[in-house]
Amino acid sequence: MCSDRSRTAMRPKPKKSLGQNFLQDHNIRRKIVEACDFSSSDTVIEIGPGQGAMTGLIAARVKRLIAVELDDILAASLEERYKDDPVVTIVHGDILSCDIEALAGRNFHGKLFVFGNIPYYITSPIIEHLFRFRSIITAVYLTVQKEFGKRIAASAGSDDYGSFSCFVQYFSKPKIEFIVKRTCFYPEPKVDSCFLSLAIRSKPPVDVADEELFFKIIRASFQKRRKQMRNSVKDVVPGEKMARALAACGINPKIRSEELDLSQFAAIVNAIVYEK
Ligand code: SAM
């Protein structure tokens, strides 16, 4: 189900290379688990349980908890701790190579949630990976760097808004639930975090005739976010064609990329695709 790429030297102290900042604060641990919409029939996949700060708290509320840890020593220690536990299964491996559907098991009942206080350096790859399995996931709960959470939840026109905001908002409804101060962790990171929920959408909020073109245009737009959008995407859609699409949608031809929301990007793509 998952490949293991962690046969590295073993050190007892927290490993920077694995993004290890352990949640120490008991109040925030409780606040986090209480903010999750778990019930006793649910299955949860925990990413990077570490020393198990959240594992027991989650396990007490759900039917099954599958925790995927990459670190050899931590995984072995959790395996030992939970070896007789009927709720918790520890998987030693890399979440990015896990087949989430296989992990949950074909016959899982209730809802499937993914939870993690995740390593900062692989936040985007983790979200992209999880979204491939969105049809079976109800919600994703993540503790991420505060600035990253703001980017994910940002609205059009704000400085934090970008192509990743569009990507995440197309597939889910992100919400920053609360801030988690850096002092809650050991070792203490340089920045604060936030606890973020991503409620997976059953269908995207806008109808898009060509999803590949939609994301190509969005990515190109935000490479030059302050420029006029029609100039930023010249390599994807020729200027004249884009001018006609903008006119058909009634959008100011001089609009800048960062001002366009998801429904406007969708309208532009549909105008291009359906142009007679
Ligand atoms: N959940 C614990 C807590 O809150 O104290 C640990 C959080 S720490 C920020 C991130 C954890 O993810 C570490 O235990 C680290 O070893 C683990 N990890 C790093 N990369 C991983 C990967 N690709 N797959 C699974 N776990 C990973």
Side-chain angles (χ1 to χ4, degrees):
M1 273 177 308
C2 309
S3 73
D4 174 2
R5 60 171 173 86
S6 69
R7 303 273 172 222
T8 49
M10 294 178 185
R11 287 171 297 153
K13 63 175 187 175
K15 294 175 185 145
K16 241 184 176 174
S17 62
L18 291 181
Q20 291 182 352
N21 299 93
F22 300 111
L23 205 43
Q24 301 293 298
D25 187 293
H26 288 271
N27 291 329
I28 205 80
R29 289 182 191 177
R30 263 196 308 277
K31 189 170 175 182
I32 287 175
V33 81
E34 276 162 18
C36 299
D37 192 20
F38 297 148
S39 80
S40 56
S41 57
D42 297 336
T43 297
V44 175
I45 294 176
E46 183 183 8
I47 303 170
Q51 299 169 338
M54 299 303 302
T55 310
L57 286 171
I58 300 169
R61 288 160 193 255
V62 302
K63 186 168 178 213
R64 278 185 70 216
L65 172 59
I66 302 133
V68 182
E69 174 56 58
L70 183 57
D71 185 287
D72 304 299
I73 300 175
L74 296 177
S77 151
L78 289 169
E79 271 164 13
E80 180 57 27
R81 193 189 312 170
Y82 287 106
K83 66 176 189 278
D84 298 321
D85 193 304
V87 175
V88 180
T89 305
I90 305 297
V91 174
H92 180 198
D94 180 347
I95 191 64
L96 293 175
S97 54
C98 282
D99 177 336
I100 300 296
E101 199 165 355
L103 266 190
R106 278 211 184 150
N107 298 323
F108 85 89
H109 297 293
K111 296 175 182 168
L112 176 66
F113 294 91
V114 180
F115 176 95
N117 168 20
I118 56 177
Y120 296 137
Y121 65 99
I122 48 170
T123 306
S124 312
I126 286 178
I127 292 176
E128 284 164 15
H129 182 63
L130 296 177
F131 279 5
R132 291 189 194 111
F133 301 92
R134 62 187 178 275
S135 63
I136 56 162
I137 299 174
T138 298
V140 176
Y141 296 111
L142 299 174
T143 304
V144 299
Q145 284 192 341
K146 188 174 90 179
E147 293 311 316
F148 197 88
K150 279 165 68 181
R151 276 171 47 202
I152 284 177
S155 308
S158 81
D159 281 348
D160 294 317
Y161 185 60
S163 61
F164 203 64
S165 331
C166 294
F167 172 74
V168 176
Q169 291 172 26
Y170 184 73
F171 293 116
S172 74
K173 287 185 217 158
K175 180 172 178 223
I176 294 176
E177 301 286 348
F178 47 83
I179 302 303
V180 181
K181 288 288 200 194
R182 67 194 84 178
T183 48
C184 296
F185 298 93
Y186 176 80
E188 201 176 299
K190 290 198 174 70
V191 294
D192 291 334
S193 292
C194 66
F195 183 63
L196 179 76
S197 64
L198 306 175
I200 302 293
R201 295 181 186 275
S202 51
K203 72 189 236 338
V206 290
D207 288 325
V208 175
D210 181 340
E211 244 177 39
E212 200 184 324
L213 180 63
F214 177 68
F215 285 117
K216 252 190 195 166
I217 289 178
I218 289 175
R219 274 195 303 271
S221 297
F222 284 101
Q223 271 162 18
K224 295 175 190 152
R225 51 181 298 126
R226 299 203 200 283
K227 294 244 161 31
Q228 289 181 15
M229 184 265 198
R230 62 180 183 186
N231 293 329
S232 308
V233 301
K234 264 197 312 227
D235 292 343
V236 181
V237 182
E240 284 182 14
K241 200 177 178 106
M242 183 53 81
R244 289 197 298 277
L246 289 169
C249 300
I251 296 173
N252 179 350
K254 293 189 173 167
I255 194 161
R256 287 179 292 143
S257 304
E258 62 187 1
E259 296 170 323
L260 287 156
D261 63 20
L262 275 186
S263 63
Q264 289 171 310
F265 276 120
I268 291 167
V269 169
N270 294 344
I272 292 168
V273 171
Y274 297 125
E275 186 181 32
K276 291 198 181 101

